[in-house]
Each structure stands twice: as C-alpha cells, then as structure tokens.
Amino acid sequence: MTGSECSPIFARLALAGFLAMASAAPSRCADSGIAGRVLDPQGKSVAGATVRLQMGTVNIAAVISDDQGQFRLAPVLPCAYRLTVESTGFQPAGQGV
C-alpha cells in the first residue's frame, strides 16, 4: 500500500482499541498504563507500528507494536494526552485520550 492509498479507517480501528484500553482503568488508581492493539482496515495486526503518548508537543512515551500488533505504555498519571500511531503504508493517526 502506498501513501496515496492510505486508509483513514486504520485510524478509527486502531484508536478504538486504544481508547477502550485507556478508559478501562479504574478511576481510583493514581496512575495506569495504556495498552492496545494496532489493526489495519481488514482487522489484521500491524507489527512494528510506532505508538506515541504525547502531552502537547512533548513525547511522554513511545513503543513499537509487537508481532501481534499489541503494545503497552508504562504507567502514567491521569491527564489529557494524545495517542498517535504511525506505520509504513498507513496515514499517521492520533486522538486525545
């Protein structure tokens, strides 16, 4: 897939998983990690995607998705963050969490 064929669906699918995991943390916890799975438009895992957690323009953490497209970010304090994902052949995607 070339850059001109990148699907915006990738962003919705990937971020839906991110948001589900991010919102699953109990509110009584002082801090919690963020975990999820990066998927392509067909629902297949995307290995090697770069997942970043940002506060404003500052990168707080970054990880690479594993062979199953799964990732886990270290525990962070509750705050307004932006989660972004990038992978070759797909448009970068991001959303507030």
Side-chain angles (χ1 to χ4, degrees):
M1 181 177 278
T2 65
S4 62
E5 299 170 333
C6 293
S7 172
I9 295 172
F10 172 76
R12 284 189 290 257
L13 288 173
L15 290 173
F18 296 162
L19 295 176
M21 295 304 290
S23 64
S27 59
R28 68 182 181 276
C29 294
D31 59 9
S32 62
I34 298 173
R37 188 171 179 201
V38 182
L39 304 171
D40 71 9
Q42 291 75 41
K44 295 180 182 177
S45 300
V46 178
T50 301
V51 180
R52 289 186 179 89
L53 185 66
Q54 300 171 310
M55 183 185 294
T57 59
V58 178
N59 284 331
I60 303 300
V63 295
I64 305 295
S65 63
D66 66 15
D67 292 343
Q68 303 301 311
Q70 297 179 348
F71 69 91
R72 178 173 299 280
L73 292 161
V76 293
L77 294 173
C79 192
Y81 295 104
R82 181 166 178 79
L83 194 63
T84 62
V85 62
E86 296 178 15
S87 186
T88 303
F90 297 96
Q91 292 178 342
Q95 186 167 343
V97 293

